[in-house]
Amino acid sequence: MDLGTLLQSVPLLATLVKSAVPAAVGAGMGLGQWLAALPPCRNQTFENATYLVCETDPKHFSIELFWKDKNGELYRSLHNLRSAQQATGRTMLFGINAGMYHPNLAPVGLYVKRGEQVTPARAGSGTGNFSMQPNGIFYLSAGKAGVRATRDYLKRPPRVDYATQSGPMLVIDGKLHPKFQANGTSRKIRDGVGVRADGVAVFAISDDVVTFHEFARLFRDELGCPNALFLDGSISSLYAPGIGRNDDFWNLGPMIGVFRR
């Protein structure tokens, strides 16, 4: 980290320390434990909305997908996922929902865990946001993150460690999804993931209700992601106890967990 970046970070760090350390101490965590659990997240304002943005360079963070444990039991919630990881000695910095799922919490579309395809990709038409073509796939391959439109992914499928399909794409090769309208009226809490040209995966969740067009512009114009994918709307959840963020309101299917390497 260079001096300029460090100086820019001081106000944010001071705010985090002031707000989160008392909670950490109250939960029985020491300062060192709290710092180790601090996620790479920040508050971001873009246009008239606020977001929580988490930047994760796969060189320094392990980004993994979860749905069921080794016994085949559903995790169901980000809190359960974190507790299960904690029991094995791992500190999950943050977790976020990883795309859409059926009523039984099974993934809709492609789901790959540790190189094994659990459910296949869906490329056909249908109803709902998932089927708003082009939809896309977020994946981790050989320590690198990627987001690609589903049909492009299936034409040249990479060997992946993890992959999750959702939709619609927010940004495709620097262009907004063609079906998004600048005057759209559907406003919801939304979350998604993009990948910058330098390979950093950027997760964002809105604190305010936003349109698809507004959310896509955040990734393209503010976060610098030439490709980005919508993960979900109303059930959007991010769990980061290191900064007091706990959106543990819903039963979830596939989830993303982020850890320090």
Side-chain angles (χ1 to χ4, degrees):
M1 179 181 291
D2 60 32
L3 180 60
T5 302
L6 178 60
L7 291 174
Q8 290 176 352
S9 302
V10 167
L12 174 60
L13 289 172
T15 300
L16 287 173
V17 169
K18 182 178 179 181
S19 61
V21 167
V25 172
M29 295 174 64
L31 180 59
Q33 289 175 300
W34 173 74
L35 288 173
L38 193 64
C41 303
R42 67 179 187 274
N43 293 316
Q44 181 101 23
T45 299
F46 176 65
E47 296 179 344
N48 297 317
T50 61
Y51 302 84
L52 186 66
V53 174
C54 303
E55 295 186 352
T56 53
D57 186 338
K59 296 176 184 176
H60 306 298
F61 298 93
S62 179
I63 307 167
E64 303 172 20
L65 279 168
F66 299 89
W67 174 35
K68 296 180 178 179
D69 65 18
K70 62 182 179 181
N71 298 317
E73 297 293 325
L74 294 166
Y75 285 108
R76 294 186 180 274
S77 76
L78 293 166
H79 179 270
N80 289 345
L81 173 60
R82 178 177 179 269
S83 296
Q85 297 305 302
Q86 205 166 27
T88 66
R90 306 183 77 200
T91 299
M92 188 175 81
L93 303 179
F94 74 90
I96 192 168
N97 53 288
M100 300 174 191
Y101 48 89
H102 295 291
N104 66 355
L105 305 185
V108 176
L110 182 68
Y111 182 82
V112 177
K113 179 177 181 179
R114 295 179 182 170
E116 178 184 353
Q117 179 176 298
V118 180
T119 55
R122 291 178 52 180
S125 60
T127 59
N129 291 330
F130 181 92
S131 297
M132 189 188 298
Q133 299 297 337
N135 61 17
I137 294 168
F138 170 65
Y139 62 91
L140 286 305
S141 175
K144 297 181 179 179
V147 169
R148 283 162 59 183
T150 299
R151 289 172 183 169
D152 177 57
Y153 178 99
L154 295 177
K155 286 179 183 177
R156 328 177 258 117
R159 179 172 293 182
V160 300
D161 301 302
Y162 295 95
T164 182
Q165 184 180 8
S166 191
M169 288 286 286
L170 297 169
V171 187
I172 310 117
D173 296 330
K175 297 181 179 180
L176 302 189
H177 194 290
K179 295 183 180 177
F180 295 167
Q181 301 295 322
N183 60 351
T185 58
S186 175
R187 310 186 70 86
K188 298 180 182 295
I189 299 294
R190 304 183 191 273
D191 71 330
V193 58
V195 177
R196 297 197 317 231
D198 61 4
V200 171
V202 184
F203 298 90
I205 183 168
S206 67
D207 294 322
D208 305 300
V209 292
V210 293
T211 67
F212 269 130
H213 201 278
E214 291 167 345
F215 195 43
R217 292 202 313 274
L218 167 79
F219 277 97
R220 185 189 66 179
D221 301 340
E222 185 72 8
L223 303 179
C225 297
N227 289 282
L229 177 66
F230 175 66
L231 291 175
D232 217 327
S234 299
I235 64 94
S236 298
S237 305
L238 192 143
Y239 185 75
I243 55 173
R245 180 73 180 240
N246 182 5
D247 299 343
D248 210 19
F249 309 126
W250 317 97
N251 281 337
L252 300 176
M255 293 170 272
I256 294 168
V258 176
F259 309 80
R260 294 195 194 280
R261 289 197 179 277

